[in-house]
């Protein structure tokens, strides 16, 4: 049998590490090495670590600091649907991801990746990601902290703030999984306070989220958060993509910084053109991507509170998301929201792979966006090297099993 080198760390049994070659046809025992220990997620206040992370993937301590961090925000307090299960979506999506395991590479970066069988594309191969866990919910923080004047208090606020500060400290992009769409308002508000950037919001959604309610219009919610972001000047502009359906008069809204591409008009070229124009016209120096799962046609993903039929094909939305992330602007973060939870973890409907598949494309695009801007800032920087001192390279440090 032809001998190959170990490429991916796939399992640890007691004090033994098991690795596989690139084709997963040969397996090896590796000697103990600190560099092969999993990198622990940061300990953040009011954030509970995941018992098992997304894709069961844990970066190695010998790898670079993760560029992308996943954070669950299981909040449903901003929705108008009573007893909505959108707060349970992050748990369902995390469990769905365990069917698609990603293994860390034994080189300085990368992993075993995922494959999209439909188009033969390899995804997340260079991505450095880490699951930071899920924000804790409750009436108020456990330490009894109350909001000061001018401060809002959401049950996830302390955890989100800690994650945003940690992300800025290690130059990691925060990728949030909701929760209802109102979380985007708080993420962007806090992000703006920390970074001071002029951010362009890129929103994939079937709805405008600019509604006006005579009683509750002062409170940001899943159905009006865009209007609040624009009127407060939190974002430089908002580009909404995939809008469709009928609206009442009070649901319509106009603002100089609100640009819309309907579902009938959306295609990758149109998305690229509009985002480049808006970036230049409004002087945006960063972007943020938010994806509402009701932008998918309910035939593809029906598990949302407000489905609207007649949506674009999944391939068109995927290509438009990819095009948005290829626009030459640095994305500060992203989120996926408005998916419903499931009644039983062992019976997750097959449609949830569609949501997971979209998340993978978003993460892959975010990774490429970050790497592109890193190369522009440091053109001589390259990921190189192998954990040769980690007991991985050389026949004296491994044996085939």
């Amino acid at each position: 049998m032809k001998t190959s080198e170990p490429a991916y760390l796939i399992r640890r049994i007691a004090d033994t590490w098991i690795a596989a070659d690139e084709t997963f046809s040969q397996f090896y025992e590796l000697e103990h090495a600190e560099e092969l220990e999993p990198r622990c997620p940061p300990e953040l206040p009011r954030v509970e670590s995941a018992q098992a992370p997304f894709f069961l993937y844990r970066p190695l301590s010998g790898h670079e600091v993760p560029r992308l961090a996943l954070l669950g925000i299981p909040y449903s307090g901003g929705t108008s649907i009573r007893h909505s299960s959108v707060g349970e979506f992050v748990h369902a999506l995390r469990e769905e991801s365990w069917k698609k395991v990603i293994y860390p590479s034994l080189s300085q970066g990368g992993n075993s990746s995922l494959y999209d069988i439909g188009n033969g594309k390899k995804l997340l191969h260079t991505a450095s990601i880490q699951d930071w866990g899920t924000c804790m919910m409750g009436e108020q923080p456990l330490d009894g902290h109350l909001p000061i004047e001018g401060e809002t208090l959401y049950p996830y606020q302390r955890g989100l703030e800690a994650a945003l500060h940690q992300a800025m400290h290690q130059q990691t992009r925060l990728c949030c999984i909701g929760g209802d769409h109102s979380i985007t308002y708080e993420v962007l508000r806090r992000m703006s306070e920390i970074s001071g950037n002029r951010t362009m919001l890129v929103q994939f959604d079937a709805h405008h989220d600019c509604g006006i309610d005579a009683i509750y219009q002062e409170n940001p919610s899943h159905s009006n958060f865009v209007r609040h972001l624009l009127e407060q000047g939190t974002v430089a502009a908002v580009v909404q993509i995939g809008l469709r359906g009928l609206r009442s008069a009070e649901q319509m809204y106009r603002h100089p910084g609100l640009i819309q591409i309907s579902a009938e008009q959306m295609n990758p070229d149109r998305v690229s053109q509009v985002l480049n124009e808006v970036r230049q016209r409004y002087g945006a120096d960063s972007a943020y991507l938010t994806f509402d799962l009701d932008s998918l046609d309910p035939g593809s993903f029906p598990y949302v509170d407000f489905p609207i039929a007649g949506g674009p094909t999944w391939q068109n939305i995927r290509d438009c998301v990819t095009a948005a992330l290829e626009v030459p602007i640095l994305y500060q973060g992203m989120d996926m929201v408005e998916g419903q939870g499931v009644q039983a973890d062992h019976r997750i409907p097959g449609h949830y792979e569609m949501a997971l598949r979209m998340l993978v494309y978003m993460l892959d695009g975010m990774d490429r966006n970050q790497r592109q801007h890193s190369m522009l800032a440091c053109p001589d920087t390259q990921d190189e090297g192998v954990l040769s001192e980690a007991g991985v390279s050389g026949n004296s440090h491994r044996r085939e099993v």
Side-chain angles (χ1 to χ4, degrees):
M1 179 183 294
K2 183 179 179 181
T3 301
S4 60
E5 290 295 322
Y8 304 113
L9 189 68
I10 62 171
R11 187 172 302 172
R12 177 179 177 179
I13 303 175
D15 292 329
T16 301
W17 280 267
I18 305 298
D21 65 0
E22 288 192 351
T23 63
F24 286 80
S25 59
Q26 296 186 62
F27 300 89
Y28 308 87
E29 288 185 13
L30 305 181
E31 291 184 359
H32 176 273
E34 293 298 326
E35 293 86 350
L36 297 180
E37 292 285 354
R39 179 186 291 273
C40 294
E43 294 184 6
L44 303 173
R46 299 293 296 167
V47 175
E48 183 178 17
S49 297
Q51 291 185 347
F54 270 94
F55 310 107
L56 299 178
Y57 175 75
R58 292 180 174 89
L60 304 182
S61 60
H63 283 183
E64 64 179 355
V65 173
R67 296 173 183 264
L68 305 175
L70 289 157
L71 179 72
I73 306 181
Y75 181 66
S76 59
T79 183
S80 57
I81 291 290
R82 193 172 184 180
H83 305 305
S84 173
S85 66
V86 295
E88 301 164 17
F89 174 68
V90 61
H91 175 74
L93 195 64
R94 190 181 269 126
E95 290 232 350
E96 175 66 21
S97 77
W98 298 342
K99 305 173 186 175
K100 322 291 179 183
V101 180
I102 298 177
Y103 302 100
S105 172
L106 293 173
S107 66
Q108 284 283 0
N111 54 70
S112 58
S113 73
L114 293 172
Y115 290 84
D116 187 334
I117 297 176
N119 62 9
K121 190 168 184 179
K122 194 175 186 179
L123 301 165
L124 298 180
H125 182 59
T126 61
S128 176
I129 61 177
Q130 187 174 42
D131 190 342
W132 282 2
T134 300
C135 291
M136 298 178 186
M137 297 292 108
E139 291 299 322
Q140 64 181 43
L142 294 177
D143 60 5
H145 169 80
L146 294 174
I148 61 176
E149 184 178 356
E151 179 187 22
T152 59
L153 179 62
Y154 295 94
Y156 60 85
Q157 180 177 306
R158 299 287 295 281
L160 172 62
E161 286 181 345
L164 284 171
H165 282 286
Q166 179 69 26
M168 172 166 281
H169 172 70
Q170 64 182 49
Q171 297 185 353
T172 297
R173 302 307 174 194
L174 200 60
C175 305
C176 301
I177 313 294
D180 70 66
H181 216 157
S182 70
I183 72 166
T184 304
Y185 168 82
E186 190 65 8
V187 171
L188 282 170
R189 194 174 75 87
R190 293 292 171 181
M191 191 176 289
S192 175
E193 292 175 353
I194 294 173
S195 69
N197 291 338
R198 286 183 55 79
T199 302
M200 171 177 64
L201 174 61
V202 181
Q203 177 185 358
F204 284 81
D205 206 318
H207 303 89
H208 293 181
D209 294 339
C210 297
I212 296 178
D213 186 290
I215 301 176
Y216 301 110
Q217 63 177 321
E218 298 306 317
N219 300 318
S221 70
H222 74 121
S223 62
N224 68 15
F225 77 93
V226 171
R227 176 170 56 84
H228 282 273
L229 287 173
L230 287 169
E231 293 180 355
Q232 294 170 5
T234 304
V235 293
V238 178
V239 179
Q240 297 180 324
I241 306 166
L243 305 174
R244 60 185 186 270
L246 299 174
R247 300 292 186 274
S248 299
E250 77 273 11
Q251 294 173 316
M252 299 305 294
Y253 178 76
R254 296 289 182 268
H255 188 282
L258 181 63
I259 298 89
Q260 299 170 329
I261 305 174
S262 71
E264 288 81 0
Q265 298 171 332
M266 64 183 286
N267 61 64
D269 290 340
R270 175 70 172 156
V271 168
S272 296
Q273 175 191 351
V274 170
L275 291 183
N276 275 304
E277 291 175 353
V278 171
R279 174 178 62 88
Q280 297 175 14
R281 185 190 316 158
Y282 292 89
D285 53 19
S286 66
Y288 183 90
L289 175 66
T290 179
F291 190 92
D292 189 319
L293 282 158
D294 65 29
S295 62
L296 297 173
D297 187 89
S300 298
F301 191 80
Y303 299 100
V304 296
D305 287 345
F306 300 93
I308 299 182
T313 65
W314 187 89
Q315 290 83 358
N316 187 19
I317 297 179
R318 175 202 63 196
D319 292 345
C320 287
V321 167
T322 299
L325 288 166
E326 289 176 346
V327 171
I329 188 170
L330 180 64
Y331 277 79
Q332 295 287 349
M334 63 166 238
D335 64 54
M336 173 177 278
V337 296
E338 296 287 352
Q340 293 178 340
V342 296
Q343 294 183 347
D345 293 343
H346 63 281
R347 297 186 63 183
I348 300 176
H351 301 81
Y352 278 74
E353 190 191 42
M354 188 68 74
L356 185 68
R357 193 174 170 195
M358 183 59 72
L359 176 65
V360 169
Y361 270 93
M362 292 169 66
L363 291 171
D364 186 77
M366 284 286 293
D367 175 65
R368 287 184 288 104
N369 176 269
Q370 304 306 305
R371 291 184 180 277
Q372 180 64 29
H373 281 80
S374 294
M375 289 173 60
L376 292 175
C378 304
D380 295 331
T381 300
Q382 294 183 356
D383 292 329
E384 58 184 10
V386 176
L387 297 176
S388 57
E389 302 302 322
V392 178
S393 179
N395 292 332
S396 62
H397 299 287
R398 65 170 172 86
R399 69 183 181 87
E400 193 172 346
V401 296

